[in-house]
Amino acid sequence: GHVLIRSTVDSDSNASVRVLQGNIYPISSLSFSPSGRFLAAGSRPNVVRLFYIGEGADWNVDPASVLELKAGLEPVNDVAFSPCGRYLASGCEDMKICIWDVHQLETRARSLQKSQKIEPQSLNCRVLSGHRKGVKSLDFSPDGSVLASGCTDSIIRLWDARDGKDIGVIGDHLYRVYCCKFSPVSEAKHVFMLASASKDRTVRLWRIDLSAEESCRVECVRVLKPPSCGRGGLLSCSFSPDGSLVAAGGVDS
């Protein structure tokens, strides 16, 4: 599939459109790096394409600056950058999570402008295993220290983003977890709020406390069940920027 990018500030609608050439497979997920220089696109069969967008208003995409990162053996369902932009995570249908250290891409962005290609194998990649079915959703905590993954095995796992250690398992959902999102506002240092949406037709809000050394305390503080949600369950959720609201969407019948 192709990726269409449109400027939100350019008044000329035709001039503001860029089409990024992908492969022949559908694009399943997209994520901009915090700097805005890179766009990650997850697709089938098992590829994350990393586009270098460029700088400011003169952005463009040089075919030589597109990296193809191999992510597992099956389709990529989600991609996410950490808030600092150092890590790029992908979740695949083969139960694996890949975390790439893409810091050197940011530091060598000027080189990419000159079409000096960085080989994908030069990027450090960590593979996280633990889920029993396909990984559907990924999100980093506001400080980038924790990666949450939601899976069709009904489990949410919490990982240390720095070393890949499995630091917590949340198993209260009855069916598939389609989405998990951190609130952008932390309650305190190392204390986060996470929302998860599931086929069991609930959104659950979790308080995750990592303030104690070598300890992860997880508490379900609220279970929300929209009255109009159908058998397909809830497929997505998101917090408002100030963390005071949570939205959820799913199948109504």
Side-chain angles (χ1 to χ4, degrees), residues 28-221:
S28 58
S29 57
L30 295 167
S31 180
F32 274 105
S33 67
S35 70
R37 294 192 184 107
F38 296 93
L39 176 67
S43 70
R44 298 182 179 184
N46 61 338
V47 172
V48 176
R49 291 176 67 83
L50 194 58
F51 299 93
Y52 175 63
I53 302 300
E55 305 282 348
D58 297 327
W59 63 273
N60 208 334
V61 178
D62 186 332
S65 65
V66 179
L67 300 183
E68 285 199 353
L69 308 177
K70 296 295 183 182
L73 301 174
E74 295 186 31
V76 178
N77 292 323
D78 199 16
V79 290
F81 278 98
S82 63
C84 68
R86 175 159 192 168
Y87 299 111
L88 169 63
S90 67
C92 294
E93 200 60 34
D94 67 355
M95 307 176 285
K96 298 293 193 297
I97 297 169
C98 294
I99 300 181
W100 286 275
D101 186 338
V102 294
H103 176 66
Q104 67 165 295
L105 294 184
E106 291 285 1
T107 59
R108 294 177 60 183
R110 297 295 182 183
S111 297
L112 287 173
Q113 283 185 312
K114 300 175 183 178
S115 300
Q116 296 177 8
K117 188 173 182 179
I118 295 176
E119 295 300 327
Q121 58 268 27
S122 68
L123 302 180
N124 294 326
C125 179
R126 186 182 303 115
V127 179
L128 312 182
S129 301
H131 284 295
R132 294 173 296 172
K133 292 186 178 180
V135 178
K136 291 297 185 183
S137 179
L138 298 169
D139 198 33
F140 284 92
S141 61
D143 66 354
S145 65
V146 179
L147 176 67
S149 58
C151 179
T152 52
D153 62 6
S154 77
I155 298 295
I156 301 166
R157 288 187 178 271
L158 304 174
W159 312 85
D160 188 317
R162 296 159 296 187
D163 60 17
K165 180 182 178 182
D166 189 339
I167 58 176
V169 177
I170 303 173
D172 289 21
H173 278 293
L174 302 178
Y175 297 106
R176 300 174 179 180
V177 176
Y178 286 120
C179 185
C180 54
K181 293 293 181 183
F182 279 101
S183 168
V185 179
S186 299
E187 181 179 322
K189 187 176 182 180
H190 304 309
V191 180
F192 313 108
M193 189 68 71
L194 179 74
S196 58
S198 168
K199 190 180 178 181
D200 66 10
R201 295 181 281 182
T202 67
V203 171
R204 295 174 186 257
L205 302 182
W206 312 92
R207 184 178 185 269
I208 299 169
D209 187 349
L210 297 168
S211 58
E213 190 173 349
E214 301 297 327
S215 174
C216 176
R217 294 190 294 253
V218 179
E219 176 188 4
C220 182
V221 297

Side-chain angles (χ1 to χ4, degrees), residues 179 181 195-197 203 205 224 226 234-240 244-250:
C179 185
K181 293 293 181 183
S196 58
V203 171
L205 302 182
L224 307 175
L234 294 168
L235 304 179
S236 61
C237 59
S238 182
F239 281 97
S240 60
S244 65
L245 299 174
V246 62

